[in-house]
């Protein structure tokens, strides 16, 4: 019991994690309030959560604000594009359903096409904001990468969407969970997404001291090989 309440114990560890999630959730809500900045706020949410998973040093508030202001242009543009496309699709789907008896063959083709496109956008959205948060990409490249990862890692993508639906269901039935749900969802999803990112960028979020040590080790190995090469050359000249 004494170890449980110690500074390195489970109470301190998980209590601190819960406090971080609450702070992160509240910041996400605050920066989403204008609605138009929801994309930038979500990008900052993933930036902080993915870095916390890698145990990178920093402060939640300052890291969140840094990610928000540095990505606000890209994230806002892509957010508004997604909102516009989704709004059009939803409007079309509702219109097609209302006019089912009048549309005939058009209804049979158009409704499934609209639903599939809406589903594809949902799949891509799992990766769009984490990609903006952690990579310096143009908008087209972000969309291409998000589509590729959504299809290539379909099981992970579906799992993330199921978690999102579950989170929304919990919030609908118990709204006070809003103070922790965004941070908790981002934390859970970031674990899965970072495993995918590291398949393409294994060096992501590595400890800088470890990198320095490896560089020094490589330099030492190169010097040793050079010395051995000189020795061999000298032996050949002697012969």
């Amino acid at each position: 019991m004494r170890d449980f309440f110690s500074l390195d114990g489970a109470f301190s560890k998980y209590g601190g994690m819960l406090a971080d999630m609450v702070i992160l959730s509240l910041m996400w809500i605050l920066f989403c309030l204008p609605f138009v900045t929801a994309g930038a706020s979500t990008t900052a949410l993933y930036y902080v959560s993915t870095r916390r998973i890698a145990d990178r040093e920093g402060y939640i508030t300052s890291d969140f604000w840094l990610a928000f202001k540095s990505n606000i242009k890209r994230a806002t543009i892509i957010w508004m594009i997604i909102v516009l496309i989704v709004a059009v699709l939803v409007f079309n789907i509702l219109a097609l359903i209302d006019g089912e008896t009048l549309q005939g063959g058009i209804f049979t083709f158009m409704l499934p096409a609209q639903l599939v496109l809406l589903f594809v956008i949902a799949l891509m959205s799992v990766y769009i904001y984490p990609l903006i948060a952690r990579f310096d990409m143009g908008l087209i490249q972000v969309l291409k990468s998000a589509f590729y990862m959504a299809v290539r890692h379909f099981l992970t993508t579906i799992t993330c969407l199921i978690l999102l639906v579950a989170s929304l269901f919990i919030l609908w039935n118990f709204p006070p969970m809003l103070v922790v749900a965004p941070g908790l969802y981002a934390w859970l999803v970031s674990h899965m997404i970072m495993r995918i990112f590291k398949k393409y960028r294994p060096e992501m979020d590595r400890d800088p001291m470890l990198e320095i040590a490896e560089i020094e080790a490589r330099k030492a190995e190169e010097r040793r090989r050079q010395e051995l090469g000189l020795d061999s050359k000298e032996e050949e000249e002697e012969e």
Side-chain angles (χ1 to χ4, degrees):
M1 184 62 69
R2 183 181 302 173
D3 292 337
F4 180 80
F5 289 102
S6 67
L7 291 176
D8 297 326
F11 181 80
S12 177
K13 177 181 177 181
Y14 294 108
M17 185 183 299
L18 179 60
D20 288 347
M21 290 179 186
V22 170
I23 295 172
L24 192 55
S25 297
L26 292 175
M27 292 197 68
W28 178 78
I29 295 168
L30 176 64
F31 283 82
C32 278
L33 287 180
F35 181 74
V36 72
T37 59
S41 184
T42 304
T43 300
L45 175 74
Y46 279 113
Y47 177 81
V48 174
S49 61
T50 53
R51 284 180 63 85
R52 287 297 176 277
I53 288 172
D55 294 325
R56 305 293 288 194
E57 295 182 359
Y59 297 96
I60 290 179
T61 53
S62 59
D63 285 350
F64 190 99
W65 171 244
L66 175 65
F68 179 85
K69 68 178 182 179
S70 61
N71 293 295
I72 188 168
K73 183 177 179 180
R74 287 189 303 159
T76 301
I77 291 173
I78 206 164
W79 164 250
M80 295 310 297
I81 291 173
I82 291 173
V83 169
L84 179 61
I85 294 175
V86 170
V88 171
L89 289 174
V90 171
F91 177 83
N92 289 343
I93 290 169
L94 294 176
L96 287 168
I97 292 174
D98 289 340
E100 178 179 359
T101 56
L102 300 176
Q103 298 296 329
I106 297 177
F107 174 84
T108 304
F109 170 76
M110 290 298 295
L111 182 61
Q114 304 277 332
L115 291 172
V116 168
L117 185 54
L118 192 62
F119 182 63
V120 170
I121 291 174
L123 296 179
M124 292 173 61
S125 296
V126 171
Y127 301 94
I128 285 174
Y129 299 107
L131 282 168
I132 296 174
R134 301 310 307 272
F135 298 101
D136 186 16
M137 293 179 174
L139 295 180
I140 301 300
Q141 185 61 42
V142 168
L143 294 174
K144 287 181 178 179
S145 299
F147 179 78
Y148 173 80
M149 290 181 179
V151 175
R152 177 67 177 80
H153 307 282
F154 188 73
L155 182 60
T156 298
T157 308
I158 291 298
T159 303
C160 292
L161 286 180
I162 291 173
L163 284 175
L164 178 60
V165 173
S167 300
L168 294 174
F169 178 79
I170 293 171
L171 288 175
W172 180 264
N173 290 277
F174 192 60
M177 282 294 293
L178 185 61
V179 298
V180 69
L184 177 59
Y185 172 78
W187 184 78
L188 292 173
V189 169
S190 292
H191 276 85
M192 293 181 280
I193 289 178
M194 285 303 292
R195 284 200 294 268
I196 292 174
F197 283 178
K198 288 184 177 180
K199 290 181 179 180
Y200 305 97
R201 291 283 299 274
E203 74 280 5
M204 278 191 69
D205 285 336
R206 298 189 67 191
D207 185 349
M209 297 305 296
L210 179 61
E211 292 181 1
I212 292 172
E214 290 181 350
I215 291 172
E216 293 298 328
R218 285 198 297 268
K219 288 181 178 179
E221 179 65 17
E222 289 175 1
R223 287 195 296 269
R224 188 183 70 83
R225 289 180 178 178
Q226 288 175 358
E227 292 173 356
L228 291 174
L230 289 173
D231 291 341
S232 299
K233 186 176 181 180
E234 290 175 356
E235 290 176 359
E236 290 175 1
E237 290 177 351
E238 289 177 358
E239 292 176 356

